[in-house]
Amino acid sequence: MAYSHVRMKILPSVRCLFDKMVQVKVDGLAPHKQVQLRSKLVDDRGMIFKASAVFKADESGQVDVCRAPSLGGSYTGVEPMGLFWSLAPETPHSKLLKKNVLTPTLVEIEALCGETGKVLASETNERGFMTEGMKRIPVEEGRIRGVLFVPPGKGPFPGIIDMYTFGGRLTEPRASLLASKGFVVLALAYMGYLDLPTNPKKLDLDYFEEAVTFLRKHPEVKGPGIGILAISHSGGMALAMSSFLSGISATVCINGCNANTVIPLHYKDIVLPPLPIVIWKLKIKKFRLLDVGDMLADPFLEKCRPSLFPIERASCHFLFAVSEGDRNWNSALFARRAAETLRNNGKESFEVVTYPKAGHFLEVPHMPFCPSGFHGAVGTNVVFGGEPKAHSEAQLDLWERVQEFFKSHLDNKSTC
């Protein structure tokens, strides 16, 4: 076999946005021979992620990952982006970290001879976060800390506040990619970033109100209302903002809780205590991993009602995204309770979408699956649940739903 004739192509281009699909093709192979494809990336912390798949070349000596099934490795079957979403960390419980969205994530792909293991061809996919002409503006105004992304072109644009997990500091990939779809997005930090406290004793909703005011007044933002996109603990913050603050038209809560958690939340003379923990429901899994998925009490219990967010006060539209395999906490129960509250108060401006077998961290498409990792509130590694393929499919579906949801509701209609 003449290795010099083997070529790998990444189509339509080796450069793309992170959320885009690519086609990996290998030509010049011996017909019907096995070939292994391996993918690898090194994240901004230096953590290495790898995946592999075994294919059989067709009669013309080609492997097209979009048509050929993987016969083994990190995944099986026809999965066009399997070499990306199945990337797993060499160091267990590591979540892919992208600090600098000004540089792309590089995914190296190699084709190896199935018999000798010799590298036949290789290519690198540059998966970026910023479109040409997009502005990335650090924000330190008043108490607000974060980064503002403004899309290219003539504004004003719909505005969205993007918030991440408890202890997540500032995370920019989702915000920058969302801005590439024609939104002004404020990636908002609320702890552990710049001069924000790492271990606050309480959270003040006034801080989030200041962020809403800042974004609504921005000259590039089309009003009158803005959107909120949040996951996990910040999903609760999004529900609190929607309940108490004005100027919010659309809220996406991904695997959040309908009651306050972890630390007290203050707003004017109102204090919402954290939801009680049921310590005996803690489970210890293999390798001393904790399963904390059942440790929060049902928010509808009488003793828990002081922690509930009064979302019946909100008049914005809600999209609740729920992973049924979530082991961070009982997202499905919390979404049902939120829907019940809204329905009992005559509100139908909400949608609940559920994803069987998906885990906690529903992120942008093709982000590697994270089954376990460090939990900011627990202080150690926990299981996050889910199955890789189902999780990947959920991320694809949700990303499109989020964009359509915000396009539908961030216009000149009335706000809460």
Side-chain angles (χ1 to χ4, degrees):
M1 180 174 178
Y3 299 137
S4 59
H5 295 309
V6 179
R7 293 282 183 271
M8 179 182 292
K9 296 176 185 174
I10 296 177
L11 304 170
S13 170
V14 293
R15 295 181 181 88
C16 65
L17 284 175
F18 192 95
D19 62 334
K20 295 299 183 186
M21 187 180 291
V22 292
Q23 181 181 21
V24 179
K25 292 175 72 172
V26 184
D27 296 298
L29 299 164
H32 310 297
K33 288 290 188 180
Q34 276 200 351
V35 62
Q36 183 186 48
L37 297 187
R38 294 196 309 209
S39 55
K40 173 186 172 183
L41 75 78
V42 181
D43 77 0
D44 288 0
R45 190 173 34 194
M47 293 291 180
I48 298 171
F49 293 72
K50 290 182 176 179
S52 66
V54 176
F55 298 90
K56 187 177 180 181
D58 64 16
E59 63 277 0
S60 67
Q62 182 186 90
V63 167
D64 180 348
V65 172
C66 291
R67 292 189 293 125
S70 167
L71 307 175
S74 302
Y75 69 93
T76 57
V78 179
E79 296 289 336
M81 294 298 288
L83 287 167
F84 297 85
W85 57 253
S86 70
L87 284 160
E90 282 192 335
T91 305
H93 321 309
S94 298
K95 189 173 181 299
L96 192 148
L97 181 69
K98 184 59 183 169
K99 291 181 181 177
N100 181 11
V101 296
L102 297 175
T103 61
T105 290
L106 305 180
V107 182
E108 301 170 22
I109 302 177
E110 292 180 330
L112 295 88
C113 175
E115 296 169 354
T116 66
K118 181 179 177 67
V119 176
L120 307 174
S122 64
E123 191 59 89
T124 299
N125 184 201
E126 300 179 19
R127 306 187 64 79
F129 299 87
M130 302 275 290
T131 54
E132 187 175 349
M134 186 189 294
K135 297 174 192 166
R136 178 191 176 275
I137 307 165
V139 176
E140 291 184 52
E141 185 153 327
R143 290 185 297 168
I144 306 169
R145 301 292 179 265
V147 170
L148 189 72
F149 292 94
V150 181
K154 183 171 170 51
F157 307 94
I160 298 168
I161 292 177
D162 180 292
M163 299 186 295
Y164 206 58
T165 61
F166 187 89
R169 297 174 175 83
L170 188 70
T171 305
E172 301 178 31
R174 185 174 64 185
S176 56
L177 288 169
L178 193 56
S180 74
K181 314 303 178 189
F183 302 96
V184 172
V185 185
L186 172 62
L188 180 68
Y190 61 93
M191 57 184 291
Y193 176 73
L194 298 180
D195 56 351
L196 297 175
T198 302
N199 297 299
K201 300 291 184 247
K202 64 174 184 175
L203 287 175
D204 288 313
L205 201 58
D206 298 314
Y207 173 81
F208 300 89
E209 188 169 35
E210 197 174 321
V212 171
T213 302
F214 166 81
L215 191 60
R216 290 184 71 200
K217 287 184 175 178
H218 196 281
E220 290 280 9
V221 172
K222 165 185 165 185
I226 62 164
I228 307 175
L229 174 59
I231 184 171
S232 195
H233 181 268
S234 72
M237 294 301 97
L239 298 185
M241 294 163 73
S242 305
S243 302
F244 291 108
L245 309 181
S246 62
I248 297 164
S249 297
T251 298
V252 177
C253 177
I254 304 170
N255 289 329
C257 182
N258 64 316
N260 187 43
T261 57
V262 189
I263 54 177
L265 180 68
H266 291 235
Y267 184 58
K268 304 190 186 306
D269 57 350
I270 301 168
V271 178
L272 272 62
L275 204 59
I277 292 172
V278 187
I279 194 67
W280 61 267
K281 290 193 174 182
L282 173 68
K283 300 182 184 114
I284 301 176
K285 299 290 191 180
K286 285 182 182 178
F287 313 115
R288 300 180 70 182
L289 271 178
L290 299 187
D291 182 339
V292 299
D294 299 317
M295 287 184 65
L296 285 183
D298 185 340
F300 270 26
L301 294 174
E302 194 59 40
K303 67 175 181 178
C304 300
R305 289 192 171 269
S307 302
L308 277 171
F309 298 122
I311 57 172
E312 67 276 5
R313 295 174 48 157
S315 55
C316 53
H317 294 265
F318 288 104
L319 173 61
F320 297 97
V322 177
S323 295
E324 292 185 343
D326 188 357
R327 295 307 302 160
N328 179 77
W329 53 24
N330 196 340
S331 299
L333 171 67
F334 301 150
R336 285 199 305 272
R337 293 305 196 204
E340 195 177 332
T341 297
L342 291 169
R343 203 173 284 117
N344 288 345
N345 285 272
K347 307 229 169 145
E348 295 293 339
S349 55
F350 67 90
E351 179 184 356
V352 180
V353 56
T354 58
Y355 297 106
K357 300 182 181 178
H360 184 62
F361 281 110
L362 284 180
E363 304 207 62
V364 296
H366 321 309
M367 185 68 76
F369 173 58
C370 178
S372 62
F374 185 79
H375 191 295
V378 179
T380 189
N381 290 327
V382 305
V383 292
F384 290 126
E387 297 177 8
K389 181 181 176 182
H391 191 88
S392 170
E393 291 170 349
Q395 290 185 156
L396 267 174
D397 182 82
L398 180 59
W399 188 234
E400 295 303 318
R401 285 179 186 268
V402 165
Q403 293 172 56
E404 286 306 312
F405 178 77
F406 284 133
K407 285 174 186 172
S408 297
H409 301 300
L410 296 185
D411 54 23
N412 290 317
K413 294 176 184 175
S414 62
T415 65
C416 59

